[in-house]
């Protein structure tokens, strides 16, 4: 099996490359060489995927059985279209890492793969789309929906879209789980979003990588929601963080209306918390039926803490600073209860 991983130096792309090599596959990676380091054993090609000449040089390294694209999150659809057009005759399949944000109704309603998608043309530039007043839909979602259309235009039935909600695990660059782990370790009274029984569906980066590789060899096509089929309660998640770190903290469950009164930002100041009805109601049965296997979230928490204490944050990323409530603000809210 010969694959091309666009990206391949950090988090999901790195795990995909390492896992493919462990299977004895021939792996080419393509990136700018600016974030992370190339995985030993891959054929590393450096270039800019938005530059036609670089893509043409990359195409000469093919053919491949499949392309796995992990690096389109910040790209306009027309940039995805540029890459798919350059490589459509050099690979049979294109596995595209997308997002649940492509759905019109996310995060307001429960979702399946049959839910309607946002409309965005495959050749749209970075200005297309908008973010709603309540934070949905998002311009990001429009752009990713256009990226999916660009892949479909070039690969047709050979196009596969993996739509995760939140990916956690060792190597995470956004900082959601590391923040909760550090907060658990610090102990004391921990500001926590009620209800404690609210279930969340994050998936482990290693399980997403395994499913991406499985889809690279499969014959299926179309979209797959990649969310944890079992999930975990928020209280279970925080208890796992406390157990992993040895922290002696006590969650204090606070009603969302109180958190809103104090201006606590959903999704960022308390990572993974969002009150919309459908945010964590994303059906992944099609993916499970097609080979997705998700480890217990407790294992993800434990392994992330072991990585965090050892290697730590892999690369600087602008989104890191967005996550986590300031200790002073948390203390003020807790004191007011």
């Amino acid at each position: 099996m010969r694959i091309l991983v666009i990206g391949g130096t950090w988090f999901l792309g790195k795990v995909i490359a390492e896992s493919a090599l462990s299977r004895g596959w021939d792996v080419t990676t393509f990136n700018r060489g600016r974030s992370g380091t190339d995985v030993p054993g891959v054929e590393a090609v450096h270039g800019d995927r938005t530059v036609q000449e670089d893509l043409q040089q990359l195409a000469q390294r093919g053919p491949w059985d499949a392309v796995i694209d992990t690096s389109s999150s910040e790209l306009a659809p027309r940039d995805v279209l540029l890459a798919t057009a350059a490589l459509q005759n050099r690979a049979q399949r294109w596995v595209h890492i997308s997002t649940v944000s492509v759905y019109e109704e996310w995060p307001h309603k429960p979702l399946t793969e049959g839910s309607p998608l946002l409309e965005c043309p495959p050749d749209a530039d970075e200005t297309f789309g908008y973010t709603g007043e309540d934070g949905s839909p998002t311009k990001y979602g429009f752009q990713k929906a256009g990226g999916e259309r660009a892949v479909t235009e070039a690969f047709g039935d050979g196009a596969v879209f993996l739509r995760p909600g939140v990916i956690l695990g060792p190597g995470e660059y956004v900082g959601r789980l590391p923040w909760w782990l550090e907060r658990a370790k610090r102990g004391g009274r921990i500001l926590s979003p009620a209800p404690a029984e609210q279930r969340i569906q994050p998936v482990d980066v290693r399980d997403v990588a395994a499913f991406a590789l499985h889809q690279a060899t499969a014959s299926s096509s179309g979209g797959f929601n990649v969310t944890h089929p079992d999930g975990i309660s928020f209280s279970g998640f925080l208890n796992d963080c406390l157990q992993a770190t040895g922290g002696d903290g006590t969650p204090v469950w606070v009603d969302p209306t109180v958190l809103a009164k104090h201006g606590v930002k959903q999704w960022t100041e308390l990572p993974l918390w969002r009150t919309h009805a459908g945010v964590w109601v994303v059906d992944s049965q099609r993916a499970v039926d097609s080979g997705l296997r998700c480890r217990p979230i407790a294992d993800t928490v434990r392994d992330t803490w072991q990585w965090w204490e050892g290697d730590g944050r892999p690369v600087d990323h602008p989104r890191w600073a967005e996550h986590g409530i300031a200790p002073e603000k948390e203390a003020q809210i807790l004191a007011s209860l």
Side-chain angles (χ1 to χ4, degrees):
M1 185 72 179
R2 190 163 193 258
I3 65 168
L4 167 64
V5 180
I6 303 182
T9 60
W10 56 327
F11 203 38
L12 179 58
K14 180 181 180 182
V15 178
I16 288 173
E18 291 174 338
S19 298
L21 288 171
S22 72
R23 301 180 183 200
W25 293 9
D26 186 338
V27 181
T28 303
T29 59
F30 179 65
N31 54 70
R32 294 178 298 176
R34 300 178 184 175
S35 301
T37 57
D38 295 312
V39 173
V42 305
E43 178 187 9
V45 181
H46 291 162
D48 189 330
R49 62 176 294 168
T50 66
V51 176
Q52 182 70 54
E53 293 77 10
D54 290 358
L55 290 169
Q56 291 174 345
Q57 292 178 11
L58 171 65
Q60 295 174 7
R61 304 294 187 101
W64 299 275
D65 297 298
V67 176
I68 303 179
D69 187 358
T70 70
S71 70
S72 68
S73 62
E74 306 298 329
L75 294 179
R78 66 178 181 184
D79 293 323
V80 177
L81 187 64
L82 185 69
T84 56
L87 299 172
Q88 64 179 343
N89 294 323
R90 308 301 287 164
Q92 300 175 27
R93 292 175 65 76
W94 186 289
V95 180
H96 196 72
I97 308 303
S98 187
T99 170
V100 294
S101 296
V102 298
Y103 290 109
E104 281 186 7
E105 298 170 331
W106 189 83
H108 301 285
K109 297 181 180 180
L111 297 174
T112 70
E113 288 85 359
S115 300
L117 303 179
L118 294 168
E119 289 292 334
C120 179
D123 58 351
D125 65 17
E126 65 278 359
T127 66
F128 190 92
Y130 63 91
T131 297
E133 292 184 1
D134 68 343
S136 63
T138 62
K139 187 174 182 179
Y140 170 73
F142 280 103
Q143 295 276 310
K144 291 291 281 186
E148 287 194 9
R149 289 192 62 186
V151 176
T152 299
E153 185 168 294
F155 280 83
D157 290 340
V160 178
F161 307 107
L162 308 191
R163 298 171 183 151
V166 171
I167 303 175
L168 303 177
E172 184 196 336
Y173 61 86
V174 174
R176 296 183 177 102
L177 180 49
W179 184 84
W180 277 115
L181 288 165
E182 284 289 347
R183 182 61 193 89
K185 181 183 179 181
R186 194 165 76 240
R189 300 171 73 213
I190 302 173
L191 185 68
S192 307
E197 65 273 14
Q198 171 66 55
R199 299 196 73 77
I200 60 177
Q201 298 176 284
V203 289
D204 191 290
V205 62
R206 295 162 293 185
D207 299 330
V208 180
F211 187 58
L213 293 174
H214 176 70
Q215 286 303 310
T217 66
S219 59
S220 53
S221 63
F224 292 91
N225 295 332
V226 185
T227 55
H228 201 293
D230 300 321
I232 190 173
S233 67
F234 221 113
S235 62
F237 171 75
L238 291 189
N239 287 337
D240 287 342
C241 290
L242 288 165
Q243 183 173 353
T245 62
D248 59 356
T250 302
V252 178
W253 299 100
V254 180
D255 189 270
T257 58
V258 176
L259 296 174
K261 178 182 177 181
H262 288 277
V264 178
K265 297 177 181 177
Q266 296 187 36
W267 209 240
T268 53
E269 284 193 295
L270 292 180
L272 307 180
W273 168 59
R274 200 167 183 178
T275 57
H276 297 78
V279 65
W280 294 117
V281 192
V282 181
D283 182 19
S284 60
Q285 190 59 50
R286 182 173 191 246
V288 171
D289 291 343
S290 298
L292 174 66
R293 297 294 179 266
C294 291
R295 71 197 66 206
I297 294 173
D299 292 355
T300 303
V301 171
R302 180 200 63 222
D303 295 346
T304 302
W305 178 245
Q306 291 176 353
W307 160 76
W308 183 244
E309 281 200 305
D311 297 334
R313 185 169 45 175
V315 292
D316 289 326
H317 193 279
R319 294 181 64 189
W320 193 275
E322 299 175 0
H323 292 87
I325 190 170
E328 299 80 8
K329 183 174 181 179
E330 179 187 23
Q332 290 174 356
I333 295 172
L334 290 170
S336 71
L337 300 177

